[in-house]
């Protein structure tokens, strides 16, 4: 299924930004040329956070598994352009399931790991998913049982598969099923015109109170990855360590797809601590290691190999990048939610480079190759900050089947730009990254609706959500609660209440502030900025 307008696809192909090679074919070609090269490697501590023992596969071994699983998908009745959801952590099994779905011409919807059952149900229902693959567990969360319950509530979901060691009854456990079917599964690929122009994934972005589906074809992904490959000078056969889940632009565009495009070795990591990430990178001799941008300076001190390149990922809620002289190559990767990314090597400078307005290719600024992204901003009106506009070969479609509801704050402009509704700060050379520190808490949506959630806690007279800057995460969500006069405030009970109500994990506050009243603006609305300033000045006042 194609969702990109035909004239745009033609333009991108003619420019050289798009090709006819889909993602799974990139893997197949490396397997044919370098069958014994190591392809996928689990983290050594895999058993601590999900089921199953660590695995490692060569390209030939992995390609055979991808072929057999793709044949299995088609055998059970999944066909081209059926949507299959995946909620599983960074394991070899997850990557195989993902690539096998693409090889079978399915559309993969990778779901955020922090989503609860109700979020998964709403998302899969909205896109008409036919299948769902879930891990047995992610740390202490029983994801497999939740997936089985989703299947019971979603009529369109025909198949629910399980990955791991302790898959609950009601799920089809993929590994034993494939073993039982033996070598009789032969995949016969179907020819389709312009294979890389077809939709590969449906990822998810928050717009207001909606989880907005964001559709990318194979070429969208390859264009995004090319920005990282060129700026990081990523060579064929490199060793890449990825700690980000394969559910969005950071993990896929900055990690998985560069691995596919360069025929490299992918080491999968589940983040537990920066020390663990550094040890893993040192043990495998990583050429490339991804990390949250605010942790790049600390990681730089812990890595042993002076040639290791750090990919420092900055999302829209990150703090301003810190200034330091790195001991090794450092590439800042700015992520505009699920809509675009820009990669820029710092070089000898200690300062991060501003993101220029205009066209960007994969290297040396804006002029040396086919444009992969064009960046602009809306006009500043009175005190309102400008918002980010993007277009180009890496920019996806929003909505599913090109639905673009009027109520969505993320929308297409008449100029062809996608208005991301991400507020940005103009500086001399462009914009200072994507987003403004302290202005966003990822995945939370509208703060006024979170007020209602907090206010429903028994014994609460009024409550408010607000955002506090954080030196590592960029921002955290806090709660201010005004209890009834006869109520004794208890922060622990408040957290237990939110958990029992199944409140989205992204809406669980970091801390709770107990007040006698909420500050108000002259018009009666909550003065959130005053709450923020008070909390940042008086951390001891937070329960």
């Amino acid at each position: 299924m194609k969702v990109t307008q035909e004239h745009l696809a033609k333009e991108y192909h003619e420019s050289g930004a798009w090709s006819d090679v889909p993602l799974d074919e990139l893997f197949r070609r490396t397997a044919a040329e370098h069958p014994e090269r190591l392809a996928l490697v689990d983290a050594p501590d895999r058993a601590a956070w999900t089921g199953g023992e660590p695995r490692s596969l060569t390209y030939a071994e992995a390609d055979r598994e991808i072929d057999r699983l793709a044949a299995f998908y088609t055998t059970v009745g999944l066909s081209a352009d059926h949507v299959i959801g995946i909620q599983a952590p960074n394991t070899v099994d997850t990557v195989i399931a993902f690539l096998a779905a693409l090889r079978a011409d399915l559309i993969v919807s990778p779901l955020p790991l922090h989503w609860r059952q109700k979020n998964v149900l709403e998302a899969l229902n909205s896109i008409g998913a036919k299948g769902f693959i879930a891990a047995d567990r992610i740390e202490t969360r029983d994801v497999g049982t939740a997936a089985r319950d989703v299947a019971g509530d979603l009529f369109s979901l025909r198949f629910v598969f399980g990955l791991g060691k302790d898959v609950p009854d009601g799920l089809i456990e993929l590994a034993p099923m494939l073993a039982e079917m033996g070598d009789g599964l032969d995949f016969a690929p179907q020819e389709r015109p312009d294979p890389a122009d077809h939709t590969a994934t449906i990822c998810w972005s928050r717009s207001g109170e909606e989880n907005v589906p964001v559709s990318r074809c194979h070429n969208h992904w390859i264009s995004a990855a090319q920005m990282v490959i060129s700026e990081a000078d990523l060579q064929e056969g490199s060793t890449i360590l990825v700690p980000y889940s394969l559910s969005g632009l950071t993990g896929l565009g900055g990690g998985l797809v560069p691995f596919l495009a360069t025929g490299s070795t992918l080491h999968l990591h589940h983040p537990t601590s920066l020390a663990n990430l550094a040890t893993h990178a040192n043990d495998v001799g990583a050429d490339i290691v991804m990390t949250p941008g605010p942790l790049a300076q600390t990681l730089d001190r812990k890595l042993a190999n002076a040639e290791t390149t750090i990919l420092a990922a900055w999302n829209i809620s990150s703090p301003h990048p810190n200034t330091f002289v790195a001991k090794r190559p450092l590439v800042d990767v700015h992520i505009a939610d699920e809509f675009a990314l820009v990669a820029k090597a710092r070089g000898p400078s200690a300062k991060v480079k501003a993101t220029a307005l205009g066209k960007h290719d994969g290297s040396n600024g804006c002029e040396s190759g086919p444009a992969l992204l064009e960046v602009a901003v809306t006009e500043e009106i009175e005190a309102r900050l400008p918002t980010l506009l993007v277009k180009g070969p890496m920019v996806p479609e929003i909505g599913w089947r090109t639905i673009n509801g009027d109520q969505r704050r993320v929308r297409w402009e008449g100029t062809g730009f996608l208005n991301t509704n991400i507020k940005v700060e103009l500086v001399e050379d462009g914009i200072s990254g994507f987003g403004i520190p302290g202005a966003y808490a990822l995945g939370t949506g509208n703060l006024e609706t979170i007020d209602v959630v907090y206010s429903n806690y028994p014994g609460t007279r009024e409550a408010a959500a607000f955002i506090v800057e954080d030196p590592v995460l960029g921002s955290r969500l806090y709660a201010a609660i005004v209890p009834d006069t006869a109520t004794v405030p208890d922060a622990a009970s408040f957290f237990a209440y939110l958990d029992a109500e199944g409140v989205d994990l992204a809406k669980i506050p970091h801390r709770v502030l107990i007040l006698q009243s909420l500050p108000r603006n002259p018009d009666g609305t909550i003065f959130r900025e005053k709450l923020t300033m008070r909390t940042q000045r008086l951390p001891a006042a937070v329960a």
Side-chain angles (χ1 to χ4, degrees):
M1 176 178 291
K2 300 179 183 179
V3 293
T4 302
Q5 296 180 50
E6 188 174 343
H7 76 277
L8 286 177
K10 181 179 179 182
E11 176 186 326
Y12 299 155
H13 277 285
E14 290 177 348
S15 74
W18 280 19
S19 74
D20 292 323
V21 184
L23 296 173
D24 59 290
E25 180 62 21
L26 292 173
F27 192 95
R28 188 197 294 273
R29 289 183 178 185
T30 303
E33 295 173 6
H34 305 283
E36 300 307 314
R37 178 181 292 172
L38 196 58
L40 300 168
V41 186
D42 272 328
D45 63 347
R46 166 179 167 161
W49 38 266
T50 197
E53 296 303 315
R55 305 176 69 207
S56 64
L57 298 175
T58 66
Y59 268 90
E61 292 168 338
D63 195 58
R64 283 195 294 270
E65 287 201 14
I66 292 168
D67 250 5
R68 293 180 67 240
L69 187 52
F72 174 75
Y73 289 150
T74 57
T75 299
V76 299
L78 291 167
S79 58
D81 297 324
H82 278 165
V83 179
I84 185 167
I86 297 181
Q87 190 180 36
N90 283 7
T91 66
V92 169
D93 302 333
T94 301
V95 177
I96 294 294
F98 186 99
L99 294 177
L102 295 184
R103 187 163 292 182
D105 294 329
L106 306 181
I107 297 170
V108 180
S109 184
L111 305 175
L113 299 187
H114 69 269
W115 273 12
R116 292 185 185 265
Q117 179 179 329
K118 67 174 184 178
N119 305 116
V120 172
L121 178 62
E122 291 170 359
L124 295 182
N125 183 51
S126 70
I127 58 177
K130 302 297 183 185
F132 183 31
I133 300 172
D136 55 354
R137 65 179 174 90
I138 302 173
E139 296 182 351
T140 59
R141 291 178 54 217
D142 191 352
V143 181
T145 299
R148 181 186 62 193
D149 294 341
V150 166
D153 292 332
L154 188 56
F155 179 76
S156 67
L157 205 60
R158 296 167 54 191
F159 307 102
V160 184
F161 307 113
L163 297 175
K165 182 180 179 181
D166 300 311
V167 175
D169 293 340
L171 273 65
I172 302 172
E173 193 172 355
L174 283 179
M177 181 64 66
L178 290 173
E180 289 178 11
M181 299 184 78
D183 296 327
L185 287 173
D186 292 321
F187 178 68
Q190 301 296 314
E191 293 293 329
R192 55 172 21 184
D194 309 313
D197 292 0
H198 287 265
T199 302
T201 62
I202 303 172
C203 294
W204 297 89
S205 170
R206 173 76 73 177
S207 176
E209 280 309 295
E210 291 182 290
N211 287 318
V212 176
V214 178
S215 305
R216 265 195 169 84
C217 71
H218 298 258
N219 272 320
H220 283 132
W221 281 116
I222 294 169
S223 296
Q226 188 57 49
M227 183 83 74
V228 175
I229 293 168
S230 298
E231 201 68 15
D233 193 25
L234 181 56
Q235 300 297 308
E236 180 187 355
S238 297
T239 299
I240 305 174
L241 179 60
V242 176
Y244 283 91
S245 66
L246 307 179
S247 61
L249 185 53
T250 308
L252 293 171
L256 180 68
V257 183
F259 146 73
L260 294 172
T262 57
S264 294
T265 298
L266 181 64
H267 288 264
L268 297 147
H269 182 90
H270 183 76
T272 55
S273 71
L274 186 63
N276 191 30
L277 177 64
T279 298
H280 195 175
N282 290 334
D283 288 347
V284 303
D287 298 306
I288 301 284
V289 58
M290 298 186 73
T291 185
L295 302 180
Q297 184 173 6
T298 304
L299 181 65
D300 182 55
R301 295 196 297 265
K302 292 179 177 293
L303 293 175
N305 184 357
E307 301 301 318
T308 299
T309 296
I310 296 175
L311 297 184
W314 305 89
N315 62 42
I316 62 171
S317 69
S318 293
H320 286 305
N322 44 343
T323 299
F324 72 99
V325 178
K327 299 177 181 178
R328 54 190 42 78
L330 174 64
V331 177
D332 294 297
V333 184
H334 299 280
I335 313 289
D337 197 10
E338 290 301 316
F339 307 117
L341 65 79
V342 168
K344 291 294 177 185
R346 288 203 193 182
S349 173
K351 294 183 178 180
V352 67
K353 297 177 182 177
T355 300
L357 301 180
K359 294 181 179 180
H360 292 254
D361 70 356
S363 61
N364 302 320
C366 304
E367 302 296 338
S368 61
L372 302 173
L373 175 68
E374 186 171 353
V375 176
V377 297
T378 59
E379 293 184 8
E380 285 189 82
I381 302 175
E382 298 176 350
R384 293 167 57 188
L385 291 168
T387 58
L388 177 68
L389 305 174
V390 292
K391 69 177 180 179
M394 77 165 66
V395 178
E397 302 298 325
I398 59 170
W400 175 226
R401 304 179 192 277
T402 66
I403 295 172
N404 186 17
D406 294 336
Q407 77 279 15
R408 288 182 177 146
R409 296 186 295 170
V410 178
R411 63 187 185 277
W412 291 103
E413 303 287 354
T415 56
F417 279 98
L418 179 69
N419 188 335
T420 66
N421 201 48
I422 298 170
K423 295 181 177 64
V424 292
E425 182 181 356
L426 286 167
V427 294
E428 182 178 355
D429 298 322
I431 55 178
S432 57
F434 297 140
I436 298 175
Y440 297 95
L442 290 178
T444 57
N446 192 307
L447 293 181
E448 285 81 1
T449 62
I450 305 177
D451 296 347
V452 176
V453 174
Y454 295 169
S455 298
N456 287 334
Y457 174 54
T460 299
R461 179 153 40 100
E462 57 180 352
F466 62 101
I467 294 171
V468 175
E469 286 193 44
D470 182 270
V472 174
L473 297 180
S475 63
R476 288 185 184 270
L477 186 68
Y478 279 56
I481 293 179
V482 179
D484 291 333
T485 54
T487 302
V488 177
D490 184 353
S493 297
F494 175 69
F495 284 115
Y497 163 79
L498 296 178
D499 187 61
E501 291 295 309
V503 172
D504 292 1
L505 295 178
K507 295 180 181 178
I508 303 292
H510 177 58
R511 291 186 178 178
V512 179
L513 192 68
I514 307 298
L515 301 176
Q516 294 182 338
S517 63
L518 295 178
R520 300 278 177 176
N521 294 306
D523 62 359
T525 58
I526 296 170
F527 191 176
R528 298 181 200 273
E529 291 80 3
K530 189 170 184 179
L531 289 170
T532 297
M533 290 186 290
R534 171 174 179 166
T535 305
Q536 291 181 161
R537 286 201 313 266
L538 301 173
V542 180

